[in-house]
Amino acid sequence: GVLCAMAGRWGEAVPLFREAADASRQVGDEVGAATTAQNLGEMLVKQNRFDEAEGVLRDAARVFQASGNQTGANPEVLLAQVLMNRGALDDAHELLSKDIATFRSTDQPLLALETAAVLTDCLLRMGEPQEGLNLLAQAAEEAGEDAEYVRPVTAISRARALVALEDYDAAETEIAAGLAAAIENQLPYEEAMLRSVRMELAERAGRTPEPEDSDAVRAIFDQLEIQPPT
């Protein structure tokens, strides 16, 4: 499943993740099953298959909570994205804020930064893009040089907030940096998201989006079998 996911063959990866999780449960490895289920849930969220993702992620979260395993386990961050899709922004905000506090207390600044990126998107939907940018800046400072490892992810959230604030020049700069990192590290999903933000920026600025961006987004969505957002 992991190899298919890394190769961009998400349609093949989803059933393989399901089979691997079932196999782990059959031998009594509940934490291993939950880890695989989290990978599955992340893929389903990115494909906009939120209803399918919710049950998978809630089961994984229960296992991690029962086992006391907090290292690298973030199904609740993905669950928050399901809540955001449903408009339950206050619930998502509470969940993400708790997770950031947990990651900080367990000395996992990079996970705190990734979670802050999701919370920035939540704050944007709540009409507070500047608060999101402030949060993201603080989390990036705490992560130090390691922040570069997740630059494509944070660039998406930062650029969205900057577009909302109509700071188009800063947004363009952020998109360009994030896009370069996404392409270099072969991250097609993040590339598509950044190109989508650039298309939104062009429309809001009264310009015609570049055909290169729309063509690339369409091709990546088809490759990764991403459903249209609801």
Side-chain angles (χ1 to χ4, degrees):
V2 172
L3 292 177
C4 286
M6 292 177 63
R9 302 199 308 273
W10 288 13
E12 297 176 46
V14 166
L16 290 174
F17 277 134
R18 293 189 194 278
E19 291 173 11
D22 288 341
S24 293
R25 290 189 195 96
Q26 289 173 6
V27 297
D29 183 6
E30 292 295 331
V31 172
T35 300
T36 302
Q38 177 178 301
N39 292 333
L40 169 61
E42 179 179 5
M43 191 159 294
L44 292 172
V45 166
K46 288 181 175 179
Q47 289 180 318
N48 296 321
R49 296 162 64 178
F50 297 103
D51 289 343
E52 293 178 67
E54 182 174 12
V56 170
L57 292 168
R58 289 196 184 280
D59 287 344
R62 278 194 291 270
V63 171
F64 285 131
Q65 185 175 14
S67 68
N69 184 347
Q70 294 178 324
T71 303
N74 62 341
E76 290 184 346
V77 177
L78 295 164
L79 273 172
Q81 295 179 60
V82 174
L83 294 172
M84 286 164 57
N85 176 259
R86 293 181 178 164
L89 300 180
D90 289 338
D91 292 339
H93 186 288
E94 180 180 354
L95 193 57
L96 291 165
S97 298
K98 178 177 71 68
D99 285 337
I100 289 173
T102 297
F103 290 137
R104 281 174 170 159
S105 68
T106 54
D107 194 25
Q108 299 181 84
L110 203 55
L111 285 177
L113 175 56
E114 289 184 281
T115 306
V118 180
L119 183 50
T120 297
D121 283 337
C122 184
L123 288 164
L124 173 59
R125 297 189 189 202
M126 298 174 82
E128 298 291 345
Q130 187 59 59
E131 184 178 344
L133 287 173
N134 295 342
L135 171 74
L136 203 50
Q138 179 185 353
E141 183 178 352
E142 292 170 355
E145 294 181 357
D146 288 346
E148 285 301 309
Y149 290 120
V150 293
R151 182 63 185 274
V153 174
T154 57
I156 296 166
S157 300
R158 189 176 288 111
R160 284 172 176 159
L162 289 167
V163 169
L165 292 168
E166 299 184 356
D167 190 346
Y168 299 142
D169 288 343
E172 286 273 18
T173 300
E174 191 64 29
I175 291 167
L179 196 55
I183 293 171
E184 179 182 355
N185 291 285
Q186 298 182 2
L187 301 171
Y189 176 82
E190 286 75 12
E191 177 187 346
M193 293 300 102
L194 285 160
R195 290 186 184 275
S196 295
V197 178
R198 188 157 65 185
M199 290 166 62
E200 179 188 353
L201 186 160
E203 290 172 354
R204 293 186 59 155
R207 305 195 304 264
T208 301
E210 293 291 334
E212 176 189 353
D213 284 337
S214 57
D215 290 346
V217 169
R218 191 179 305 111
I220 291 170
F221 273 39
D222 287 346
Q223 174 195 350
L224 302 182
E225 299 188 20
I226 297 174
Q227 298 179 1
T230 55

